[in-house]
Amino acid sequence: MKYPSFIILLLTSLTLWAQQAPINPTPWRIPATTSVPTDSLPKIQQYIQQLTDSSKAAYVNSQNTRSLKLALNALQTAKQYGIKEHRAMLNFRVGYLLEKIEAYEEAVVFRATQAAWNLKNNNPLHAYHCYSDIGKLYYQLKKFSTSQQYYLIALKLSSKLDDTDLKGHALNNVGLTYLRSDSITKAIPYFREALQAFKLKKQYKNFNALMIGVCHGNLAECYLQDYGTAKQLLDSYLTIAQQQQASENISEAYVKRGTLAMEHHLWQPAFSDLLKASALLKSSAHYKLYLRCLKSMTNTLSHLNQPKMMQQYLSAYLQLNDSLYGSSRIQQITASKALLQLDKIQYELDLHRMSLTAKKKEIHYLKQTKKDQKVKWFLSLGLLITSVVVAILGYIKMRQNQRKDAAIQEMKKQLIKAELKNKQLENLELKKNLKTKHTELTNFAIEISENYHLLKKLNTELKSLKESGKSESPEYQSLVQLLDGQLGLDNQLKDFQRKANLLHKEYNNTLLSIHPSLTKNDLYLCSLIRLHLTNKDMAILRNVTEKAVRMSKYRLKQKLQLDKSADLHAYLNNL
């Protein structure tokens, strides 16, 4: 839009006059989602506190899912308005509640956020506890190498804090990760150094004495082949636990000592220790340790020719195992995680909706607002007054159009960003679901293999007793029939094959497009290889021998046109 030269000169004069004229203050605009007016801060902080208190009350009433939802709402509100006072505490609370519902991977995110915040604010003690908790979460997930990394970070922080007690805990935890990874020679130095650290600390005498016993118990697991050394360490652990009246540690010491006796085929001492542990754990809440005790007791009784007692402990083991790892428990955990994901997605949608609403209000404000300025003019000619009015109106109209166009363009950009973010969230959710299904399928395969070997061993032992004529009672026959029924794995194998084919459907289609000569059995074998299963587990899942599995792998390499030295597992995973 072009103006005559006299209008441009007039506009220049008006601009110089406006610099001396009073300007009305700009009205307060709608706040963005990351800031809030100072006078509204107390109300928002009060709202966050109410959500936190409600979360605590729900947790006291054993409503873990509701408590988690309220804590997430409080945390998201604090993030939305940039309030930092509550965020460290809320990150801790959300991570703790996620751990309670066994959502360990989700809990890691909040623990890591809290750890980063503590390091940024120069709080190494709290950062130490955060990294220790992250290591524990990965330990629960059986990702021992990752767990070890975070425990090593905690160890460095304990050295920085110069606290031998914290250092002893970190050393013991690192040793446990090596022990569970079967790196026994690397685990022993850490356990011994942890012992020295706990012996040096005098401030918490009783607690450190108990930790010395725990380290003895962990060291004993490293010396299982040396009965004398391991027995001496476990006796020390048991004595210290009894002195401190720590029932869980007493039970653990009995179980470890019974397991040691089993390793050396000392069935009567093993039975005695496991019986004591079973009596202590029966009414406790340490279900996993009790499950381990029942499993060892069943194996011991089978060697002691006690079929009646073995049936009782086997029934208790199967019942407890079903309650901990059965389908109902898995469904409960899956439902809790699904609710968590839905809450996160709903929060993101609400946040985008609030942002869009704020933009709409701002556009409406720009359209409706007109600047009110006092204009004092000394004009003598009507033509000059008319020219000034036309120039002012034209300038205002041009500025309004520019602002309107800029606001509309910005709105379009925000809408595009919101759509892209929603698609990214959907893709992330699909990847998480695929990873979860892959892990569940692997665990299902391992569970089928372990149950098969245990029940097959028990069935062989009982049939051997029957052939030797040592038991003719109806209860014995009933137990044999029960174990025979458990060995029928056809339905489980068919269910596993169906799930494996469904999970790897797209992958199999890709593989067939490259190698059309592959059969259904070849594709099923590829699925088992991608699940990181051993030849022994593959043989059980395919109902063939290990030799047949090796031959199948050899033929599969030929069909895939791979060299003999080529890594079949790497090829299938990198395809």
Side-chain angles (χ1 to χ4, degrees), residues 226-241:
D226 186 352
Y227 181 77
T229 303
K231 178 71 164 51
Q232 185 179 0
L233 289 168
L234 288 173
D235 288 341
S236 174
Y237 181 22
L238 180 59
T239 302
I240 293 172

Side-chain angles (χ1 to χ4, degrees), residues 77 122 136 152 189 210 249 277 348 370 428 484 516:
T77 303
N122 196 23
K136 183 179 71 172
L152 287 171
L210 184 59
N249 298 91
E348 296 293 340
K370 291 182 180 180
L428 182 61
D484 285 336

Side-chain angles (χ1 to χ4, degrees), residues 92 95-100 103-105 107-108 111 128-152 154 169-170 173-174 176-177 288:
F92 169 79
Y96 175 76
L97 292 168
L98 286 168
E99 184 179 353
K100 293 292 287 184
Y104 300 124
E105 291 183 348
V108 166
R111 283 283 193 271
Y128 166 88
H129 290 294
C130 289
Y131 283 117
S132 295
D133 289 341
I134 294 172
K136 183 179 71 172
L137 292 168
Y138 279 117
Y139 188 90
Q140 294 287 349
L141 292 167
K142 297 184 179 180
K143 296 180 179 180
F144 300 119
S145 59
T146 308
S147 174
Q148 183 184 119
Q149 294 173 8
Y150 284 97
Y151 280 141
L152 287 171
H169 283 280
N173 290 331
V174 174
L176 281 173
T177 59
K288 292 184 179 180

Side-chain angles (χ1 to χ4, degrees), residues 10 30 38 42 123 142 193 199 282 321 345 379 480 528:
L10 179 60
I30 300 169
T38 306
N123 195 340
K142 297 184 179 180
E193 195 173 348
K199 288 177 180 178
K282 188 173 184 181
N321 185 70
I345 293 171
L379 301 173
V480 172
L528 297 180

